[in-house]
Amino acid sequence: MAKAKFSSRIGLIAATVGSAVGLGNIWRFPAETQTNGGAAFLLLYIVCVFLLGIPLMLAEFSLGRASGTDSVTAFSRLRPNSKWWLTGVLGMISSYFILCFYIVVAGWTVEYFFQSLTGDLFNGISAHASVESSNSFFTTKMEKYINSDFPPLIFTYLMILINLGVLIGGVKKGIERISMWLMPLLFLLLLTFCIISLSFPNSAEGVRFFLTPDFSKITPHALVNALGQAFFSLSLGMGTLITYGAYFPKKTKLTQTAFTVSMLDLLVAVLTGLIIFPAVSSFGLSGEDLRGSTLVFVTLPEVFAQMPAPSLWAALFFLLLMVAALTSTVSMAEVTISFVEERWKRSRRVACLIVILPLFILSTLCSLSFGSLKDWTIGGMTIFNFLDNITANYMLPIGALLISIFAGWIMPRDFMRNELRPFGAPARTIYTIIGNGVRWIVPGLILIVLISSF
Ligand code: TRP
């Protein structure tokens, strides 16, 4: 069976950007930036994207395209009779774990979207409520919703079904096609919010926090977080981009593609910062903790409540989040689907069902871990927090480490150079940076981070 390919350059970029741009950019990034010192963190983050993100992305693209197969078989095809395929298995498990809790949050965004449409979200709050009372109004609302059992499940399931619909459509007619529609929509919405936010009175204070670095805040701890954020945001370390790389035609220029995707992902993070921080400072909410769910489900509704037509803006914003989440969740599921299609020789439809059906059960466990199952803990963490923690802190860095060692040291020295050579001569200096990045900088920094975290 010939492997499916993306049909156009734009489509392939839209799909890959779709994977990269997700809750990681709009939800995780501002929270990380706030706790790690604002602009200093942004600076470290940008350095990590260039130094580690782009080289590792190119390693994943190269492994995927050279092998033309799923992320487990890629390793066994490129290095037969070795145990390297286990790297692919690790990645596949991480991607599935992330999918289990990520889809629950995606479900919350769907619920909030509907609540905004019907106006329920703002029922009972007046535009002149004090900051404290409006904060407690939305906090209570969020906790009540998240900690209940059934409503979140319904929306998680809805999100799973939408994913299934897209995935059954296949690489071209499903993933590529929705990304072509949804990515431009996402950028349009982001720009709109950015303009609105920057026009708020006192927006300058927020912009300053986000863009003027305080160098004393550059700490090893902030660096570790910037590194983790870069991997998560660029979808690295678990074979997602090996899987997508296998769908790239031979003529795709990998270096340009990786550069474009990373810059668009970074742009989304920066635009999000330019939306959140000015809005938060204008409405006197800077003291609020943006960690976890509060930013999106409490602080922003507080901002919307003070604008004209709150329901409209809230609905558009949660639509934006849904779109971002959807194109990321399909990419996580695709890792395993591609494996089932290829290894177990199943049709697309059957492969999608095999992968998605267990998700109903596992995501139920994650969702209920805020409600009835909150006492089911592993190492003191609820199921949701456990999966979040082991993937972000251990599985992704270890996956990224193994992938960089494989591409940089196990494969022949000219392996990546050959894959990156567009048609003519490779640009030497660029290749030197990328090659050394994959061989030295990526594994070196990850090792330091892993060792220091133990
Ligand atoms: N990058 C996505 C985000 O920012 C999430 C994601 C998709 C991801 N695929 C991944 C994270 C693979 C880590 C690895 O939300």
Side-chain angles (χ1 to χ4, degrees), residues 62 65 255 407 412-422 424-429 431-432 434-435:
S62 306
R65 193 179 56 187
T255 317
R413 265 215 90 143
D414 53 1
F415 163 70
M416 274 189 65
R417 192 191 307 247
N418 289 337
E419 273 308 311
L420 298 190
R421 200 194 314 264
R428 275 198 77 111
T429 39
Y431 181 74
T432 312
I434 295 166

Side-chain angles (χ1 to χ4, degrees), residues 21-84:
V21 171
L23 299 174
N25 302 60
I26 303 176
W27 178 17
R28 203 171 181 279
F29 174 77
E32 290 288 313
T33 307
Q34 197 207 29
T35 35
N36 289 295
F41 180 81
L42 176 63
L43 200 67
L44 286 175
Y45 178 71
I46 293 175
V47 171
C48 287
V49 167
F50 278 92
L51 228 53
L52 295 112
I54 295 180
L56 189 60
M57 185 180 284
L58 283 167
E60 292 206 20
F61 283 169
S62 306
L63 295 174
R65 193 179 56 187
S67 63
T69 179
D70 67 88
S71 63
V72 176
T73 316
F75 289 91
S76 49
R77 196 167 283 175
L78 295 170
R79 265 282 166 271
N81 307 320
S82 77
K83 292 264 176 283
W84 277 98

